[in-house]
Amino acid sequence: MFRLVRPSFFCPQATITNKIPLPFLPRLHFAPEAASTAARTMSTLSPVESAKKAAAARAVSEHLQPSHRYPVTLDVAFDGADEVDAELNCIKGGGACLLQEKLVAIAAKKFVVVADYRKLSKNLLTQWKAIPIEVLPMAAPDVLNQLVALGSTGPLVRPGVPGKAGEVVTDNGMWIIDAPFAPLKLLSEGAGAERAADGSWGVKALADEIVKIPGVVEVGIFFGLDGSEAAKVGKFGLAQKPVAAYFGMEDGSVKVTNAAGSE
């Protein structure tokens, strides 16, 4: 099983391999019986939770070895996603921790997504309708205007209600803007480096434009190189995209998607 030794300071929303500031990453120990124990507990869970557990158990068993530890440079990082497209681009930030999640992803030699079947789409923004963007609070009005100019329909600062009055405040003291856009084109669909004549965007083109807006801290699109691709070209530390995504399906099976396609 997992044995997690938490430091005295950690992100309140932290999970095992993400959302924890890198200097405070805990040690994680893995025993082979983890997958079988997880399987025994799934019978008491809802179908969606069972699907997530099945995907997590398989992902961990295939990628995490007993000798792995988590210093600042990670061997492998596991995390969820709000949506994953056919080319393994991801939207993350539904939990308002996207900057720390991206720091973990780029610190990992391999980043692996674990999610349920509802998060799998051909194109981003098909089911998850808005891009989470972490912004400096004083810049929020200008960022909203710039997002509208880029084609976003009704971007909003994420409210904290009903949990709290006012805006959602991230662990970094920032606000989150949720910016709806039309579904994003894939490279295989001819997505270019700029906005298309019909007003549509490709994943990389839109992410690059958003992050250029003054006051934007980070954008919740994980795209570009994965860890394996980055290692081949000597760009370790720049990989945001997962090497694989494991989806717990509604029928109890696990679907695996990687650079070679789907299992």
mmCIF file of all heavy atoms in Angstrom, residues 70-119:
data_model
loop_
_atom_site.group_PDB
_atom_site.id
_atom_site.type_symbol
_atom_site.label_atom_id
_atom_site.label_comp_id
_atom_site.label_asym_id
_atom_site.label_seq_id
_atom_site.Cartn_x
_atom_site.Cartn_y
_atom_site.Cartn_z
ATOM 1 N N TYR A 70 10.607 10.544 -4.319
ATOM 2 C CA TYR A 70 10.215 11.790 -4.947
ATOM 3 C C TYR A 70 11.038 12.973 -4.446
ATOM 4 O O TYR A 70 10.607 13.735 -3.601
ATOM 5 C CB TYR A 70 8.718 12.046 -4.708
ATOM 6 C CG TYR A 70 7.869 11.113 -5.509
ATOM 7 C CD1 TYR A 70 7.595 9.834 -5.054
ATOM 8 C CD2 TYR A 70 7.382 11.487 -6.750
ATOM 9 C CE1 TYR A 70 6.846 8.955 -5.803
ATOM 10 C CE2 TYR A 70 6.619 10.606 -7.496
ATOM 11 C CZ TYR A 70 6.356 9.348 -7.016
ATOM 12 O OH TYR A 70 5.616 8.486 -7.763
ATOM 13 N N PRO A 71 12.237 13.154 -4.964
ATOM 14 C CA PRO A 71 12.955 14.411 -4.729
ATOM 15 C C PRO A 71 12.392 15.465 -5.668
ATOM 16 O O PRO A 71 11.354 15.267 -6.282
ATOM 17 C CB PRO A 71 14.398 14.041 -5.073
ATOM 18 C CG PRO A 71 14.238 13.009 -6.142
ATOM 19 C CD PRO A 71 12.986 12.225 -5.782
ATOM 20 N N VAL A 72 13.083 16.575 -5.847
ATOM 21 C CA VAL A 72 12.577 17.625 -6.720
ATOM 22 C C VAL A 72 12.442 17.124 -8.152
ATOM 23 O O VAL A 72 11.504 17.462 -8.854
ATOM 24 C CB VAL A 72 13.486 18.866 -6.651
ATOM 25 C CG1 VAL A 72 13.060 19.898 -7.676
ATOM 26 C CG2 VAL A 72 13.425 19.467 -5.248
ATOM 27 N N THR A 73 13.394 16.308 -8.620
ATOM 28 C CA THR A 73 13.252 15.664 -9.920
ATOM 29 C C THR A 73 12.508 14.354 -9.720
ATOM 30 O O THR A 73 12.965 13.486 -8.988
ATOM 31 C CB THR A 73 14.627 15.393 -10.553
ATOM 32 O OG1 THR A 73 15.303 16.635 -10.728
ATOM 33 C CG2 THR A 73 14.465 14.717 -11.908
ATOM 34 N N LEU A 74 11.359 14.224 -10.357
ATOM 35 C CA LEU A 74 10.501 13.068 -10.139
ATOM 36 C C LEU A 74 10.706 12.017 -11.223
ATOM 37 O O LEU A 74 10.891 12.351 -12.393
ATOM 38 C CB LEU A 74 9.033 13.497 -10.143
ATOM 39 C CG LEU A 74 8.648 14.665 -9.232
ATOM 40 C CD1 LEU A 74 7.165 14.965 -9.377
ATOM 41 C CD2 LEU A 74 8.990 14.356 -7.796
ATOM 42 N N ASP A 75 10.661 10.756 -10.836
ATOM 43 C CA ASP A 75 10.689 9.679 -11.822
ATOM 44 C C ASP A 75 9.349 9.597 -12.545
ATOM 45 O O ASP A 75 9.292 9.452 -13.768
ATOM 46 C CB ASP A 75 11.000 8.344 -11.148
ATOM 47 C CG ASP A 75 12.422 8.287 -10.628
ATOM 48 O OD1 ASP A 75 13.354 8.523 -11.410
ATOM 49 O OD2 ASP A 75 12.588 8.033 -9.425
ATOM 50 N N VAL A 76 8.273 9.673 -11.780
ATOM 51 C CA VAL A 76 6.940 9.591 -12.374
ATOM 52 C C VAL A 76 5.965 10.343 -11.478
ATOM 53 O O VAL A 76 6.091 10.312 -10.253
ATOM 54 C CB VAL A 76 6.492 8.122 -12.571
ATOM 55 C CG1 VAL A 76 6.517 7.359 -11.272
ATOM 56 C CG2 VAL A 76 5.110 8.034 -13.218
ATOM 57 N N ALA A 77 5.043 11.057 -12.084
ATOM 58 C CA ALA A 77 3.998 11.774 -11.348
ATOM 59 C C ALA A 77 2.640 11.332 -11.868
ATOM 60 O O ALA A 77 2.439 11.224 -13.082
ATOM 61 C CB ALA A 77 4.158 13.285 -11.521
ATOM 62 N N PHE A 78 1.723 11.061 -10.952
ATOM 63 C CA PHE A 78 0.357 10.683 -11.303
ATOM 64 C C PHE A 78 -0.579 11.816 -10.897
ATOM 65 O O PHE A 78 -0.466 12.360 -9.805
ATOM 66 C CB PHE A 78 -0.065 9.406 -10.566
ATOM 67 C CG PHE A 78 0.769 8.205 -10.890
ATOM 68 C CD1 PHE A 78 1.896 7.903 -10.140
ATOM 69 C CD2 PHE A 78 0.430 7.375 -11.938
ATOM 70 C CE1 PHE A 78 2.669 6.794 -10.429
ATOM 71 C CE2 PHE A 78 1.193 6.258 -12.235
ATOM 72 C CZ PHE A 78 2.319 5.967 -11.481
ATOM 73 N N ASP A 79 -1.507 12.147 -11.773
ATOM 74 C CA ASP A 79 -2.463 13.204 -11.456
ATOM 75 C C ASP A 79 -3.722 12.991 -12.283
ATOM 76 O O ASP A 79 -3.713 12.258 -13.274
ATOM 77 C CB ASP A 79 -1.853 14.580 -11.754
ATOM 78 C CG ASP A 79 -2.571 15.709 -11.019
ATOM 79 O OD1 ASP A 79 -3.542 15.429 -10.291
ATOM 80 O OD2 ASP A 79 -2.153 16.871 -11.174
ATOM 81 N N GLY A 80 -4.778 13.645 -11.880
ATOM 82 C CA GLY A 80 -6.014 13.600 -12.644
ATOM 83 C C GLY A 80 -6.028 14.687 -13.703
ATOM 84 O O GLY A 80 -5.054 15.410 -13.909
ATOM 85 N N ALA A 81 -7.142 14.811 -14.379
ATOM 86 C CA ALA A 81 -7.329 15.866 -15.378
ATOM 87 C C ALA A 81 -8.818 16.120 -15.514
ATOM 88 O O ALA A 81 -9.646 15.240 -15.244
ATOM 89 C CB ALA A 81 -6.731 15.469 -16.722
ATOM 90 N N ASP A 82 -9.156 17.328 -15.910
ATOM 91 C CA ASP A 82 -10.559 17.667 -16.124
ATOM 92 C C ASP A 82 -11.036 17.200 -17.496
ATOM 93 O O ASP A 82 -12.206 16.882 -17.679
ATOM 94 C CB ASP A 82 -10.756 19.174 -15.979
ATOM 95 C CG ASP A 82 -10.375 19.658 -14.587
ATOM 96 O OD1 ASP A 82 -10.817 19.037 -13.608
ATOM 97 O OD2 ASP A 82 -9.610 20.638 -14.488
ATOM 98 N N GLU A 83 -10.109 17.169 -18.456
ATOM 99 C CA GLU A 83 -10.424 16.649 -19.785
ATOM 100 C C GLU A 83 -9.117 16.306 -20.491
ATOM 101 O O GLU A 83 -8.105 16.981 -20.303
ATOM 102 C CB GLU A 83 -11.217 17.674 -20.603
ATOM 103 C CG GLU A 83 -11.812 17.106 -21.883
ATOM 104 C CD GLU A 83 -12.810 18.057 -22.540
ATOM 105 O OE1 GLU A 83 -12.586 19.288 -22.489
ATOM 106 O OE2 GLU A 83 -13.801 17.576 -23.104
ATOM 107 N N VAL A 84 -9.141 15.242 -21.283
ATOM 108 C CA VAL A 84 -7.972 14.799 -22.049
ATOM 109 C C VAL A 84 -8.426 14.543 -23.480
ATOM 110 O O VAL A 84 -9.436 13.873 -23.701
ATOM 111 C CB VAL A 84 -7.366 13.505 -21.465
ATOM 112 C CG1 VAL A 84 -6.090 13.125 -22.216
ATOM 113 C CG2 VAL A 84 -7.083 13.659 -19.974
ATOM 114 N N ASP A 85 -7.671 15.085 -24.452
ATOM 115 C CA ASP A 85 -8.085 14.890 -25.843
ATOM 116 C C ASP A 85 -7.354 13.713 -26.486
ATOM 117 O O ASP A 85 -6.565 13.009 -25.838
ATOM 118 C CB ASP A 85 -7.928 16.183 -26.655
ATOM 119 C CG ASP A 85 -6.477 16.577 -26.930
ATOM 120 O OD1 ASP A 85 -5.564 15.735 -26.791
ATOM 121 O OD2 ASP A 85 -6.250 17.754 -27.301
ATOM 122 N N ALA A 86 -7.599 13.506 -27.766
ATOM 123 C CA ALA A 86 -7.055 12.349 -28.474
ATOM 124 C C ALA A 86 -5.542 12.409 -28.632
ATOM 125 O O ALA A 86 -4.909 11.388 -28.929
ATOM 126 C CB ALA A 86 -7.717 12.226 -29.848
ATOM 127 N N GLU A 87 -4.934 13.585 -28.447
ATOM 128 C CA GLU A 87 -3.479 13.727 -28.544
ATOM 129 C C GLU A 87 -2.832 13.933 -27.176
ATOM 130 O O GLU A 87 -1.679 14.349 -27.083
ATOM 131 C CB GLU A 87 -3.138 14.883 -29.494
ATOM 132 C CG GLU A 87 -3.552 14.576 -30.932
ATOM 133 C CD GLU A 87 -3.303 15.715 -31.915
ATOM 134 O OE1 GLU A 87 -2.995 16.844 -31.468
ATOM 135 O OE2 GLU A 87 -3.420 15.481 -33.133
ATOM 136 N N LEU A 88 -3.594 13.629 -26.114
ATOM 137 C CA LEU A 88 -3.131 13.683 -24.727
ATOM 138 C C LEU A 88 -2.885 15.102 -24.213
ATOM 139 O O LEU A 88 -2.227 15.280 -23.185
ATOM 140 C CB LEU A 88 -1.873 12.823 -24.521
ATOM 141 C CG LEU A 88 -2.084 11.310 -24.609
ATOM 142 C CD1 LEU A 88 -0.757 10.580 -24.433
ATOM 143 C CD2 LEU A 88 -3.085 10.835 -23.564
ATOM 144 N N ASN A 89 -3.391 16.110 -24.906
ATOM 145 C CA ASN A 89 -3.432 17.433 -24.301
ATOM 146 C C ASN A 89 -4.475 17.401 -23.187
ATOM 147 O O ASN A 89 -5.480 16.688 -23.287
ATOM 148 C CB ASN A 89 -3.824 18.490 -25.333
ATOM 149 C CG ASN A 89 -2.870 18.520 -26.510
ATOM 150 O OD1 ASN A 89 -1.690 18.820 -26.359
ATOM 151 N ND2 ASN A 89 -3.376 18.195 -27.695
ATOM 152 N N CYS A 90 -4.247 18.173 -22.133
ATOM 153 C CA CYS A 90 -5.138 18.125 -20.975
ATOM 154 C C CYS A 90 -5.613 19.518 -20.579
ATOM 155 O O CYS A 90 -4.905 20.507 -20.769
ATOM 156 C CB CYS A 90 -4.425 17.539 -19.755
ATOM 157 S SG CYS A 90 -3.725 15.915 -19.987
ATOM 158 N N ILE A 91 -6.792 19.558 -19.987
ATOM 159 C CA ILE A 91 -7.236 20.719 -19.230
ATOM 160 C C ILE A 91 -7.204 20.335 -17.761
ATOM 161 O O ILE A 91 -7.726 19.290 -17.368
ATOM 162 C CB ILE A 91 -8.655 21.165 -19.623
ATOM 163 C CG1 ILE A 91 -8.645 21.801 -21.015
ATOM 164 C CG2 ILE A 91 -9.213 22.162 -18.600
ATOM 165 C CD1 ILE A 91 -10.009 22.232 -21.504
ATOM 166 N N LYS A 92 -6.561 21.185 -16.953
ATOM 167 C CA LYS A 92 -6.493 20.990 -15.513
ATOM 168 C C LYS A 92 -6.720 22.336 -14.840
ATOM 169 O O LYS A 92 -6.533 23.377 -15.445
ATOM 170 C CB LYS A 92 -5.131 20.409 -15.108
ATOM 171 C CG LYS A 92 -4.929 18.970 -15.607
ATOM 172 C CD LYS A 92 -3.515 18.460 -15.392
ATOM 173 C CE LYS A 92 -3.066 18.501 -13.959
ATOM 174 N NZ LYS A 92 -3.930 17.677 -13.074
ATOM 175 N N GLY A 93 -7.128 22.283 -13.587
ATOM 176 C CA GLY A 93 -7.359 23.514 -12.847
ATOM 177 C C GLY A 93 -8.745 23.618 -12.259
ATOM 178 O O GLY A 93 -9.088 24.630 -11.651
ATOM 179 N N GLY A 94 -9.546 22.561 -12.415
ATOM 180 C CA GLY A 94 -10.866 22.581 -11.802
ATOM 181 C C GLY A 94 -10.805 22.714 -10.290
ATOM 182 O O GLY A 94 -11.712 23.257 -9.665
ATOM 183 N N GLY A 95 -9.708 22.247 -9.705
ATOM 184 C CA GLY A 95 -9.504 22.374 -8.267
ATOM 185 C C GLY A 95 -8.686 23.583 -7.875
ATOM 186 O O GLY A 95 -8.286 23.723 -6.715
ATOM 187 N N ALA A 96 -8.414 24.476 -8.843
ATOM 188 C CA ALA A 96 -7.726 25.757 -8.604
ATOM 189 C C ALA A 96 -6.274 25.588 -8.161
ATOM 190 O O ALA A 96 -5.734 26.442 -7.474
ATOM 191 C CB ALA A 96 -8.494 26.608 -7.588
ATOM 192 N N CYS A 97 -5.634 24.491 -8.560
ATOM 193 C CA CYS A 97 -4.237 24.274 -8.182
ATOM 194 C C CYS A 97 -3.374 24.023 -9.420
ATOM 195 O O CYS A 97 -2.406 23.272 -9.380
ATOM 196 C CB CYS A 97 -4.147 23.097 -7.214
ATOM 197 S SG CYS A 97 -2.860 23.261 -5.956
ATOM 198 N N LEU A 98 -3.731 24.659 -10.535
ATOM 199 C CA LEU A 98 -3.120 24.317 -11.815
ATOM 200 C C LEU A 98 -1.643 24.686 -11.902
ATOM 201 O O LEU A 98 -0.863 23.986 -12.549
ATOM 202 C CB LEU A 98 -3.898 24.965 -12.963
ATOM 203 C CG LEU A 98 -3.965 26.494 -13.002
ATOM 204 C CD1 LEU A 98 -2.928 27.077 -13.935
ATOM 205 C CD2 LEU A 98 -5.360 26.937 -13.434
ATOM 206 N N LEU A 99 -1.216 25.775 -11.280
ATOM 207 C CA LEU A 99 0.194 26.150 -11.353
ATOM 208 C C LEU A 99 1.061 25.109 -10.659
ATOM 209 O O LEU A 99 2.062 24.647 -11.213
ATOM 210 C CB LEU A 99 0.419 27.525 -10.730
ATOM 211 C CG LEU A 99 1.884 27.959 -10.581
ATOM 212 C CD1 LEU A 99 2.601 27.964 -11.927
ATOM 213 C CD2 LEU A 99 1.977 29.330 -9.921
ATOM 214 N N GLN A 100 0.684 24.717 -9.455
ATOM 215 C CA GLN A 100 1.470 23.716 -8.740
ATOM 216 C C GLN A 100 1.420 22.369 -9.453
ATOM 217 O O GLN A 100 2.407 21.632 -9.495
ATOM 218 C CB GLN A 100 0.974 23.601 -7.296
ATOM 219 C CG GLN A 100 1.249 24.862 -6.484
ATOM 220 C CD GLN A 100 0.879 24.720 -5.021
ATOM 221 O OE1 GLN A 100 0.817 23.618 -4.489
ATOM 222 N NE2 GLN A 100 0.628 25.841 -4.363
ATOM 223 N N GLU A 101 0.274 22.054 -10.051
ATOM 224 C CA GLU A 101 0.172 20.812 -10.812
ATOM 225 C C GLU A 101 1.105 20.831 -12.023
ATOM 226 O O GLU A 101 1.727 19.825 -12.359
ATOM 227 C CB GLU A 101 -1.276 20.600 -11.258
ATOM 228 C CG GLU A 101 -2.207 20.267 -10.113
ATOM 229 C CD GLU A 101 -3.667 20.236 -10.519
ATOM 230 O OE1 GLU A 101 -4.021 20.815 -11.567
ATOM 231 O OE2 GLU A 101 -4.462 19.638 -9.782
ATOM 232 N N LYS A 102 1.219 21.980 -12.671
ATOM 233 C CA LYS A 102 2.107 22.063 -13.833
ATOM 234 C C LYS A 102 3.566 21.981 -13.404
ATOM 235 O O LYS A 102 4.400 21.388 -14.105
ATOM 236 C CB LYS A 102 1.840 23.343 -14.623
ATOM 237 C CG LYS A 102 2.553 23.377 -15.966
ATOM 238 C CD LYS A 102 2.016 24.453 -16.900
ATOM 239 C CE LYS A 102 0.689 24.086 -17.515
ATOM 240 N NZ LYS A 102 0.301 24.999 -18.641
ATOM 241 N N LEU A 103 3.909 22.551 -12.256
ATOM 242 C CA LEU A 103 5.277 22.444 -11.749
ATOM 243 C C LEU A 103 5.651 20.988 -11.481
ATOM 244 O O LEU A 103 6.777 20.561 -11.751
ATOM 245 C CB LEU A 103 5.432 23.272 -10.469
ATOM 246 C CG LEU A 103 5.385 24.792 -10.636
ATOM 247 C CD1 LEU A 103 5.416 25.469 -9.271
ATOM 248 C CD2 LEU A 103 6.532 25.286 -11.506
ATOM 249 N N VAL A 104 4.707 20.233 -10.945
ATOM 250 C CA VAL A 104 4.963 18.811 -10.712
ATOM 251 C C VAL A 104 5.122 18.076 -12.041
ATOM 252 O O VAL A 104 6.027 17.256 -12.215
ATOM 253 C CB VAL A 104 3.833 18.183 -9.873
ATOM 254 C CG1 VAL A 104 3.989 16.664 -9.808
ATOM 255 C CG2 VAL A 104 3.836 18.762 -8.464
ATOM 256 N N ALA A 105 4.253 18.377 -13.006
ATOM 257 C CA ALA A 105 4.310 17.692 -14.303
ATOM 258 C C ALA A 105 5.648 17.915 -15.001
ATOM 259 O O ALA A 105 6.246 16.976 -15.535
ATOM 260 C CB ALA A 105 3.161 18.160 -15.195
ATOM 261 N N ILE A 106 6.142 19.152 -14.996
ATOM 262 C CA ILE A 106 7.394 19.423 -15.711
ATOM 263 C C ILE A 106 8.609 18.917 -14.940
ATOM 264 O O ILE A 106 9.685 18.755 -15.514
ATOM 265 C CB ILE A 106 7.560 20.923 -16.031
ATOM 266 C CG1 ILE A 106 7.703 21.753 -14.752
ATOM 267 C CG2 ILE A 106 6.412 21.419 -16.890
ATOM 268 C CD1 ILE A 106 8.009 23.217 -15.005
ATOM 269 N N ALA A 107 8.439 18.648 -13.640
ATOM 270 C CA ALA A 107 9.546 18.098 -12.852
ATOM 271 C C ALA A 107 9.662 16.590 -12.997
ATOM 272 O O ALA A 107 10.634 15.993 -12.535
ATOM 273 C CB ALA A 107 9.367 18.451 -11.375
ATOM 274 N N ALA A 108 8.678 15.962 -13.635
ATOM 275 C CA ALA A 108 8.639 14.505 -13.724
ATOM 276 C C ALA A 108 9.204 14.005 -15.049
ATOM 277 O O ALA A 108 8.959 14.593 -16.102
ATOM 278 C CB ALA A 108 7.202 14.013 -13.568
ATOM 279 N N LYS A 109 9.947 12.910 -14.977
ATOM 280 C CA LYS A 109 10.406 12.256 -16.200
ATOM 281 C C LYS A 109 9.220 11.668 -16.957
ATOM 282 O O LYS A 109 9.211 11.634 -18.186
ATOM 283 C CB LYS A 109 11.413 11.159 -15.860
ATOM 284 C CG LYS A 109 12.690 11.675 -15.212
ATOM 285 C CD LYS A 109 13.596 10.522 -14.806
ATOM 286 C CE LYS A 109 14.834 11.023 -14.085
ATOM 287 N NZ LYS A 109 15.685 9.901 -13.610
ATOM 288 N N LYS A 110 8.247 11.179 -16.201
ATOM 289 C CA LYS A 110 7.012 10.667 -16.792
ATOM 290 C C LYS A 110 5.833 11.223 -16.001
ATOM 291 O O LYS A 110 5.796 11.121 -14.783
ATOM 292 C CB LYS A 110 6.964 9.133 -16.754
ATOM 293 C CG LYS A 110 7.962 8.442 -17.620
ATOM 294 C CD LYS A 110 7.628 6.962 -17.787
ATOM 295 C CE LYS A 110 7.601 6.215 -16.475
ATOM 296 N NZ LYS A 110 7.323 4.763 -16.674
ATOM 297 N N PHE A 111 4.895 11.809 -16.708
ATOM 298 C CA PHE A 111 3.655 12.296 -16.111
ATOM 299 C C PHE A 111 2.532 11.417 -16.641
ATOM 300 O O PHE A 111 2.383 11.254 -17.856
ATOM 301 C CB PHE A 111 3.453 13.766 -16.479
ATOM 302 C CG PHE A 111 2.083 14.318 -16.189
ATOM 303 C CD1 PHE A 111 1.396 13.990 -15.037
ATOM 304 C CD2 PHE A 111 1.479 15.200 -17.080
ATOM 305 C CE1 PHE A 111 0.135 14.507 -14.772
ATOM 306 C CE2 PHE A 111 0.227 15.728 -16.830
ATOM 307 C CZ PHE A 111 -0.448 15.379 -15.677
ATOM 308 N N VAL A 112 1.761 10.827 -15.740
ATOM 309 C CA VAL A 112 0.705 9.890 -16.110
ATOM 310 C C VAL A 112 -0.621 10.399 -15.562
ATOM 311 O O VAL A 112 -0.727 10.720 -14.373
ATOM 312 C CB VAL A 112 0.993 8.480 -15.548
ATOM 313 C CG1 VAL A 112 -0.125 7.511 -15.934
ATOM 314 C CG2 VAL A 112 2.336 7.970 -16.048
ATOM 315 N N VAL A 113 -1.621 10.484 -16.416
ATOM 316 C CA VAL A 113 -2.954 10.925 -16.004
ATOM 317 C C VAL A 113 -3.811 9.710 -15.661
ATOM 318 O O VAL A 113 -3.780 8.688 -16.355
ATOM 319 C CB VAL A 113 -3.627 11.755 -17.115
ATOM 320 C CG1 VAL A 113 -5.142 11.836 -16.909
ATOM 321 C CG2 VAL A 113 -3.044 13.161 -17.144
ATOM 322 N N VAL A 114 -4.568 9.840 -14.587
ATOM 323 C CA VAL A 114 -5.540 8.826 -14.182
ATOM 324 C C VAL A 114 -6.890 9.518 -14.040
ATOM 325 O O VAL A 114 -7.006 10.510 -13.313
ATOM 326 C CB VAL A 114 -5.143 8.169 -12.845
ATOM 327 C CG1 VAL A 114 -6.195 7.148 -12.423
ATOM 328 C CG2 VAL A 114 -3.777 7.517 -12.951
ATOM 329 N N ALA A 115 -7.893 9.034 -14.738
ATOM 330 C CA ALA A 115 -9.195 9.702 -14.722
ATOM 331 C C ALA A 115 -10.297 8.689 -15.004
ATOM 332 O O ALA A 115 -10.025 7.519 -15.296
ATOM 333 C CB ALA A 115 -9.228 10.824 -15.759
ATOM 334 N N ASP A 116 -11.534 9.140 -14.923
ATOM 335 C CA ASP A 116 -12.644 8.273 -15.295
ATOM 336 C C ASP A 116 -13.112 8.607 -16.710
ATOM 337 O O ASP A 116 -12.661 9.579 -17.319
ATOM 338 C CB ASP A 116 -13.796 8.387 -14.281
ATOM 339 C CG ASP A 116 -14.416 9.770 -14.258
ATOM 340 O OD1 ASP A 116 -15.153 10.099 -15.219
ATOM 341 O OD2 ASP A 116 -14.177 10.532 -13.301
ATOM 342 N N TYR A 117 -14.011 7.796 -17.208
ATOM 343 C CA TYR A 117 -14.436 7.856 -18.609
ATOM 344 C C TYR A 117 -15.049 9.195 -19.008
ATOM 345 O O TYR A 117 -15.056 9.549 -20.192
ATOM 346 C CB TYR A 117 -15.445 6.736 -18.893
ATOM 347 C CG TYR A 117 -16.641 6.740 -17.965
ATOM 348 C CD1 TYR A 117 -17.806 7.426 -18.287
ATOM 349 C CD2 TYR A 117 -16.603 6.058 -16.748
ATOM 350 C CE1 TYR A 117 -18.894 7.436 -17.434
ATOM 351 C CE2 TYR A 117 -17.685 6.061 -15.885
ATOM 352 C CZ TYR A 117 -18.828 6.749 -16.228
ATOM 353 O OH TYR A 117 -19.897 6.764 -15.362
ATOM 354 N N ARG A 118 -15.544 9.964 -18.047
ATOM 355 C CA ARG A 118 -16.177 11.244 -18.378
ATOM 356 C C ARG A 118 -15.170 12.288 -18.836
ATOM 357 O O ARG A 118 -15.546 13.303 -19.424
ATOM 358 C CB ARG A 118 -16.939 11.777 -17.161
ATOM 359 C CG ARG A 118 -18.033 10.854 -16.646
ATOM 360 C CD ARG A 118 -18.567 11.349 -15.326
ATOM 361 N NE ARG A 118 -17.495 11.440 -14.332
ATOM 362 C CZ ARG A 118 -17.639 11.997 -13.130
ATOM 363 N NH1 ARG A 118 -18.795 12.518 -12.781
ATOM 364 N NH2 ARG A 118 -16.619 12.029 -12.282
ATOM 365 N N LYS A 119 -13.888 12.059 -18.570
ATOM 366 C CA LYS A 119 -12.854 13.052 -18.881
ATOM 367 C C LYS A 119 -12.208 12.837 -20.249
ATOM 368 O O LYS A 119 -11.329 13.598 -20.648
ATOM 369 C CB LYS A 119 -11.765 13.007 -17.796
ATOM 370 C CG LYS A 119 -12.296 13.071 -16.371
ATOM 371 C CD LYS A 119 -13.118 14.316 -16.115
ATOM 372 C CE LYS A 119 -13.719 14.347 -14.727
ATOM 373 N NZ LYS A 119 -12.729 14.393 -13.650
#
